[in-house]
Amino acid sequence: MPYVNIKITREGATKEQKEVLIAGVTKLLQETLGKNPQTTVVVIDEVETDNWGIGGESVTVRRKRGQ
Amino acid sequence: MPYVNIKITREGATKEQKEVLIAGVTKLLQETLGKNPQTTVVVIDEVETDNWGIGGESVTVRRKRGQ
Amino acid sequence: MPYVNIKITREGATKEQKEVLIAGVTKLLQETLGKNPQTTVVVIDEVETDNWGIGGESVTVRRKRGQ
Amino acid sequence: MPYVNIKITREGATKEQKEVLIAGVTKLLQETLGKNPQTTVVVIDEVETDNWGIGGESVTVRRKRGQ
Amino acid sequence: MPYVNIKITREGATKEQKEVLIAGVTKLLQETLGKNPQTTVVVIDEVETDNWGIGGESVTVRRKRGQ
Amino acid sequence: MPYVNIKITREGATKEQKEVLIAGVTKLLQETLGKNPQTTVVVIDEVETDNWGIGGESVTVRRKRGQ
């Protein structure tokens, strides 16, 4: 019954990588807390780099500087 | 003043259906808790089926199997 | 499979009222979008009035003024 | 280390305006609570007006009436 | 830089179990997407069973029936 | 009409500091995007340090090491 929300920048995560994330988080909750995988929900949000800030500036600006 | 976030998979909900959800949740909060509908906020997020996992796999994979 | 998060101020909602919210939102999603109630998740967050702001001030301050 | 999520309707906020929001929130948390700006994360969600409800109806409907 | 929010019912997860969740999710994001663990944020919300609904009723009610 | 959620660790933020955050974010949205302060909602979540992870471990563990 857990609900997990993963937010990452939209920078090319593939369907296969997202399947790995969904399976991995679900398994982690089952092994650690005994949660039923059948009712574990995982939602992945991919956020534009213009809309993600860290250190007081967007990731877009950071990427342009090579960070 | 309540804030409600509804997350569903992006599978063709129409504008009319979304109006029904917004009106229905707002009315439910008014009738149940006396909340002022004028300041009740409802945000609907429609999530790609690749990005929604349940049972350890994405909804995309489940839909292909007919689930 | 929908996920709904309802945020309200912590001002005495009873267990019974919260059951009404859970049942009502679940039914609304079933009737409007055909969503399976068995996998519809509803999470209610009750937030201290000090921690909820509207109009640039906390609900605590507004309540003291009679709003 | 704070995490801030700003949700606004998608109505033309520019990159420059989003940079101002990111910088401003980060500075506010630094000045008010001494939070380290280097690890302050800000995520901006722009939501379609069909998907944002207030007063029991979508912003799309309100905008058509001139609100 | 990812942000992960894990919501579970408040039913006795220990500090040690929460450390395992934090370490496990962080490692999963590093291995799957190459995300820097130093800036990966994980927030765990433990929600009262009265406030978590599934199948149209609270977990409190379900637990009383032995589910 | 914006909705802002600020998540910080629970480490003694005062009512006065939270009022400053609420007023400051509301003003920032008004000045930057012309948003109406009367309908801007700000919700502050204070999270236990056991439940906040960064760098693959909880803030509790980091604080013990002096970080």
Side-chain angles (χ1 to χ4, degrees), chain A residues 7 47 50-58 60-62 64, chain D residues 3 15 18-19 22-23 26 37-38 40-44 46:
Chain A
K7 287 185 195 290
V47 177
D50 287 354
N51 288 16
W52 191 297
I54 186 165
E57 60 189 0
S58 73
T60 304
V61 168
R62 292 169 79 89
K64 281 184 186 160
Chain D
Y3 170 80
K15 288 190 182 201
K18 292 188 277 191
E19 292 290 340
I22 290 167
T26 303
Q38 291 312 311
T40 295
V41 174
V42 182
V43 172
I44 301 169
E46 295 174 274

Side-chain angles (χ1 to χ4, degrees), chain D residues 14 17 25 35 44 46 48 51 60 65-66:
Chain D
T14 65
Q17 288 170 325
V25 169
K35 296 295 184 184
I44 301 169
E46 295 174 274
E48 301 301 323
N51 289 15
T60 305
R65 279 209 314 275

Side-chain angles (χ1 to χ4, degrees), chain A residues 7 45-48 51, chain B residues 3-8 10 18 22 41-47, chain D residues 5-13 18 21 43-54 57-61 63, chain F residues 1-4 29 33 35:
Chain A
K7 287 185 195 290
D45 291 328
E46 296 175 273
V47 177
E48 301 302 322
N51 288 16
Chain B
Y3 170 80
V4 181
N5 181 222
I6 300 173
K7 287 184 195 290
I8 54 175
R10 187 184 296 278
K18 292 188 278 193
I22 290 167
V41 174
V42 181
V43 172
I44 301 170
D45 292 327
E46 295 175 274
V47 177
Chain D
N5 181 221
I6 299 173
K7 287 185 197 288
I8 54 175
T9 44
R10 187 184 295 280
E11 298 181 277
K18 292 188 277 191
L21 289 182
V43 172
I44 301 169
D45 292 327
E46 295 174 274
V47 177
E48 301 301 323
T49 56
D50 287 353
N51 289 15
W52 192 297
I54 186 164
E57 60 189 359
S58 72
V59 173
T60 305
V61 168
R63 291 284 184 265
Chain F
M1 217 161 29
Y3 170 79
V4 181
L29 282 156
L33 295 174
K35 297 295 182 184

Side-chain angles (χ1 to χ4, degrees), chain F:
Chain F
M1 217 161 29
Y3 170 79
V4 181
N5 181 222
I6 299 173
K7 287 184 196 289
I8 53 175
T9 45
R10 188 183 295 278
E11 299 180 278
T14 65
K15 288 190 183 202
E16 290 70 24
Q17 287 170 325
K18 291 188 278 192
E19 292 291 340
V20 172
L21 289 182
I22 290 168
V25 169
T26 304
K27 190 180 173 203
L28 179 67
L29 282 156
Q30 182 178 24
E31 291 179 352
T32 310
L33 295 174
K35 297 295 182 184
N36 180 357
Q38 290 313 311
T39 54
T40 295
V41 174
V42 181
V43 172
I44 301 170
D45 292 327
E46 295 174 275
V47 177
E48 301 302 322
T49 56
D50 288 354
N51 289 15
W52 192 297
I54 186 165
E57 59 189 0
S58 72
V59 173
T60 303
V61 168
R62 292 169 79 88
R63 291 283 184 265
K64 282 184 186 161
R65 277 207 316 275
Q67 285 187 286

Side-chain angles (χ1 to χ4, degrees), chain E:
Chain E
M1 214 163 31
Y3 169 80
V4 180
N5 181 223
I6 299 173
K7 288 185 195 290
I8 54 175
T9 44
R10 188 182 296 278
E11 299 180 277
T14 65
K15 287 190 182 203
E16 289 71 24
Q17 288 170 324
K18 291 188 277 192
E19 292 290 340
V20 172
L21 289 182
I22 290 167
V25 169
T26 304
K27 190 180 172 203
L28 179 67
L29 282 157
Q30 183 179 22
E31 291 179 352
T32 310
L33 294 175
K35 297 295 183 183
N36 180 0
Q38 290 313 311
T39 54
T40 295
V41 173
V42 181
V43 172
I44 301 170
D45 290 328
E46 294 175 275
V47 177
E48 301 302 323
T49 57
D50 287 354
N51 288 16
W52 191 296
I54 186 164
E57 59 188 2
S58 72
V59 173
T60 304
V61 168
R62 293 169 78 89
R63 291 283 184 265
K64 282 184 186 161
R65 278 208 315 277
Q67 286 187 285

